[in-house]
Structures are given as structure tokens and as C-alpha cells.
Amino acid sequence: MTALELFCGAGGLTLGVSRAGFEHLAIIERAATACETIRQNQERKHPLAAVWPLHECDVRDFEYKRVAADVDLLTAGLPCQPFSVAGKSHGNKDKRDMFSEVVRAARELQPKAILIENVPGLMRTTFQDYLNYLRLALAFPTLTPTSYTDPSRGGRLKRVDQLSESRKYSVHIHMVNAADYGVPQWRKRVLIVAFRSDLDVQWSLPPASHSLDALLWDQLKTGTYWKRHQLNRVRLGKTSRRIRGRRRLIQKAGQPFSDAKPWQTVRDALRGLPRLRQGQRDPQVLNHFINRGARRYPGHQGSLIDEPAKVLKAGSHGVPGGENSLYLGRNRIRYFSVRECARIQTIPDDYLIAGSWTQAMRQIGNAVPVRLAEVIAASIRMALSHTRTIEVVDEEQQQSAGCPEVTTLDSRVA
């Protein structure tokens, strides 16, 4: 199956979609350092990046008629600054809001499916009207924006059932925590998944494969977690406030609450990496250097090693001291290395992040966790594969009944 990606950045979403079995027809990015990351991995013959057709340009200038084949999946890790709680929250008034470009791509390419990732801030009450507008714009990408409003009601948005259009999409919007899918990071994100309605795709969000309860059970009850790391310690030390309540419940429980796999922690993510002191570099491991100067300040005190990491951030004024660092105890913290951050984002060890330390950390903070992208893309691929199988069966039935042969891209691929 084929994919096309907007705002690919350093390639987190691209890696996950490739792992799920999609072949990219084009990936588009304008940031020079992110493009350099992809080019360097292509020069190093990375098994996935080597075949990506990179277009270093502004998405607004890209002409989709350059794409010769049909697109099965359109993906976009959109700029999050307009909707981020940490930003100015100007939403669609921010010039960095690029949702309109995804709608343009959907209108011109008419892909079978769409996958968009953004920050949880998009679902705040402040942006509720805009999110409803986006739902309609993606559901009916070939209609003009004026088609979504009803002048007789003061320009309010119409209901979907009031709109009539042959090429429309069913749109699903979900909030997910990447930790629930095996990413060693407490990273909540909004996923928008859409399917062309004529395909009649039956899709639902993949169930969580990992849980906090399973992690706490292994740490507090069985000790499996500590044995895995060859530690004699059997008592969990400092924990963050957000999981303290679950910890008390698990301590009182007589049996596990969950049969899922345990959440992955920072200790799990860093397992096997050489341990370095601040200022040290390991020349044998890509991007493994511990920079100096990490500082604690209220609300930003580093990730705890036996929990998923705090959400890694790109930082608008340099590398964030609290989110991109590790708590060492006794009020001490240190920065994560670029490679450690890549591990936390489930970026493979053979994937190089180009640029200075600050540039590399910004690319990783902006990336979509590879494992999350792979799980969601794989579920989309499975849903599309089912529709393709049905189409082939239908064509065979038509031919056996004396109908003329129908040749489509779907039947050829299937």
C-alpha cells in the first residue's frame, strides 16, 4: 500500500508507517535540519529511510499532480504550536496552523485513509468550534468552506447529515496516551483518522496493549520488574503524583487488575546503553552525549527512572530543562542524551539525528513516537486490506455472472 506524508520532520511518523507496510510516494518537509536528518540516513543506507522520496519544500507550494500513483494513506504530523498549552494558543489565527493544507491534499489526492497527529490542546473547549469545523472539512474535503455554514442561522456549522457529497470521509477523533502502546513516555496526543466512505471501512482504535496497573504489579507485587533489570531492590521509591493513587490501590489488591503488558519505563528505555557522566560522549553509539547544565525549577524536575518519561518537548527557547532530563535523586538532574531521547520516542538505534544538540533535541521533541505510529498505521492497513479483499471477491462474482471484467488498482494490488 502507498502513503504520502506532510510535515514529516525527522521521520518519526514516517518510520512507523513504513514499519506498518506502507511504501511512501512522497514525504514533504521544509525544515533544513530535519531534511538533513533524513538525507544522512539515506546516505547511510538505513533500510527504511533509503527509499523515502524526500521533497524539501513548503507544503503550500507542493503540487500533488506530481504524484503519479493512487495514495492509500495520507499522513501528517501537523505543527502543534497553535494549539499547545505551552504556546500562545492562537489556534487557526496562528500562521503555523496547517490543517487547511491537509484538507487540500485530501481534496486533490482523495486518499483511501487519512492519519493526523496533534497535541491534546486541540481538544480544549477554546478550540471546540474549530475542531468541529475540521471534522466537517475532512469529512467533505471537496466542498468549499462556505458549504459548512448555514447563513440562515448566523453562519453556524451545518450538521453532517445536511451535507450531500459523493466523495466524503468518515472521521474518527481519539485522545491516546502513547504509554498505553508500549512507548516509554507519558505522551498524550490527539489522533484524527478518516476513511473514504465509499470503501465502507470498519475501523476502531486499537485497544491498549500496555497498562500502568501491570507495571505497578510487577514492581510492587511480583518483583519481576526489578529482576529484569538485575536489581535486588524490591520497593518502589519516589513516584510522581499522577500515579500515586494507583500505587496505593495495587498495594492493597489481591490479584492483577490488568492482563496487559506493563508500561515501559525510562529504565526499560535506557537498558543496554553505555552509562555516561555529564560531558562524556560514546563514539560507538549514535548521538550518545550527555550535555551539561540541566537545572530544576518548580514543575519541571526531570523524569523518574522507574516510570514512563515526561512528555519530551521541542522547546521554543532551547532544550527544556525539566522534561528532557532525568531525576537522579537528592534534588539532582541531568539532561538525557539525544540517543536516550530517541529511545524514549522508540526511534531505532541505527537512525541518526542530524544537527547540533539543540537542533537534534528539537527534532525528537517534535516527532511522533515510532511505535505509536506503527500500531495505528498497521490497524489502518488491516482495515483497508479487508476492503480490498471484498472488492476482489465482488469482481470475481461479477465475471462468473457474465459481467464485463473490471480492472482497478485495488484488484491489481490485492
Side-chain angles (χ1 to χ4, degrees):
M1 293 188 186
T2 59
L4 185 144
E5 183 168 337
L6 315 181
F7 317 104
C8 66
L13 180 57
T14 328
L15 284 165
V17 171
S18 293
R19 281 183 168 184
F22 287 89
E23 177 185 347
H24 285 85
L25 301 174
I27 61 172
I28 306 165
E29 176 58 52
R30 75 171 186 175
T33 50
C35 291
E36 184 59 25
T37 288
I38 291 172
R39 278 194 293 267
Q40 287 199 27
N41 282 288
Q42 290 176 332
E43 292 170 2
R44 298 177 65 253
K45 308 295 183 185
H46 187 276
L48 296 178
V51 296
W52 293 340
L54 173 65
H55 296 265
E56 185 174 357
C57 66
D58 192 313
V59 165
R60 291 168 291 191
D61 299 327
F62 191 80
E63 297 180 2
Y64 293 104
K65 62 184 179 182
R66 299 166 63 179
V67 181
D70 288 345
V71 175
D72 289 305
L73 176 62
L74 172 66
T75 64
L78 283 157
C80 62
Q81 293 88 347
F83 308 99
S84 174
V85 175
K88 296 181 179 179
S89 299
H90 288 168
N92 60 307
K93 297 178 182 178
D94 193 315
K95 64 181 181 181
R96 294 169 294 185
D97 174 27
M98 290 290 161
F99 271 102
S100 60
E101 285 303 311
V102 182
V103 176
R104 179 173 77 91
R107 180 171 60 250
E108 297 187 20
L109 295 170
Q110 297 189 13
K112 292 180 174 61
I114 302 169
L115 169 60
I116 301 170
E117 180 264 1
N118 212 270
V119 290
L122 180 62
M123 297 187 75
R124 281 186 287 168
T125 305
T126 308
F127 303 123
Q128 183 176 357
D129 288 343
Y130 187 55
L131 185 60
N132 289 337
Y133 168 81
L134 291 175
R135 185 192 295 270
L136 282 175
L138 289 169
F140 302 91
T142 60
L143 292 180
T144 60
T146 54
S147 303
Y148 310 141
T149 57
D150 186 347
S152 65
R153 303 180 64 201
R156 293 179 63 183
L157 292 173
K158 292 182 180 179
R159 298 198 311 269
V160 172
D161 59 10
Q162 292 177 315
L163 300 173
S164 176
E165 168 63 18
S166 59
R167 183 65 79 203
K168 57 185 178 181
Y169 288 78
S170 58
V171 181
H172 310 260
I173 301 179
H174 295 281
M175 176 90 77
V176 300
N177 186 349
D180 291 337
Y181 296 94
V183 177
Q185 183 182 176
W186 186 295
R187 190 180 186 94
K188 289 190 174 181
R189 283 298 183 265
V190 172
L191 299 178
I192 303 176
V193 179
F195 292 93
R196 247 183 29 211
S197 296
D198 63 303
L199 300 176
D200 193 26
V201 170
Q202 303 300 313
W203 179 86
S204 58
L205 184 72
S209 56
H210 295 66
S211 78
L212 168 61
D213 288 350
L215 170 64
L216 291 174
W217 187 265
D218 279 1
Q219 289 176 333
L220 300 170
K221 293 289 189 175
T222 67
T224 304
Y225 175 82
W226 311 110
K227 294 172 186 175
R228 182 167 70 249
H229 291 286
Q230 299 180 342
L231 296 172
N232 294 325
R233 176 183 178 183
V234 294
R235 188 176 65 181
L236 189 58
K238 181 180 175 68
T239 56
S240 61
R241 185 170 50 190
R242 59 190 173 191
I243 71 169
R244 213 164 285 155
R246 294 305 295 180
R247 174 182 175 178
R248 288 193 289 268
L249 285 174
I250 295 297
Q251 285 174 324
K252 296 177 182 178
Q255 59 184 11
F257 292 157
S258 171
D259 58 359
K261 297 177 182 178
W263 269 4
Q264 295 293 286
T265 67
V266 173
R267 193 186 297 275
D268 290 321
L270 306 191
R271 189 177 185 183
L273 279 178
R275 300 180 68 175
L276 304 177
R277 294 184 177 182
Q278 296 187 54
Q280 285 187 321
R281 177 188 300 274
D282 190 319
Q284 304 301 317
V285 181
L286 293 174
N287 302 121
H288 196 29
F289 169 76
I290 308 295
N291 212 2
R292 301 179 185 274
R295 297 179 182 178
R296 296 173 66 249
Y297 48 98
H300 302 270
Q301 304 184 26
S303 295
L304 299 175
I305 194 167
D306 293 314
E307 295 180 9
K310 292 182 175 182
V311 58
L312 298 181
K313 296 181 180 178
S316 2
H317 307 286
V319 178
E323 286 76 8
N324 295 25
S325 60
L326 175 65
Y327 179 71
L328 301 174
R330 299 180 181 178
N331 295 324
R332 298 173 298 129
I333 68 170
R334 71 159 176 84
Y335 281 120
F336 286 123
S337 74
V338 173
R339 180 49 47 194
E340 289 172 335
C341 284
R343 282 274 188 100
I344 290 169
Q345 286 280 55
T346 58
I347 296 171
D349 286 349
D350 61 351
Y351 195 81
L352 173 71
I353 307 297
S356 67
W357 180 71
T358 301
Q359 291 170 335
M361 292 291 243
R362 181 172 290 121
Q363 292 175 68
I364 293 175
N366 279 328
V368 179
V370 175
R371 189 168 298 158
L372 175 63
E374 181 181 1
V375 169
I376 303 302
S379 72
I380 293 171
R381 188 175 192 276
M382 181 176 295
L384 291 178
S385 297
H386 181 64
T387 63
R388 288 166 181 244
T389 303
I390 291 175
E391 288 168 1
V392 172
V393 171
D394 289 345
E395 289 169 15
E396 290 175 349
Q397 290 173 348
Q398 288 175 355
Q399 292 172 28
S400 64
C403 297
E405 182 178 356
V406 179
T407 303
T408 64
L409 175 64
D410 289 342
S411 64
R412 292 198 303 272
V413 174

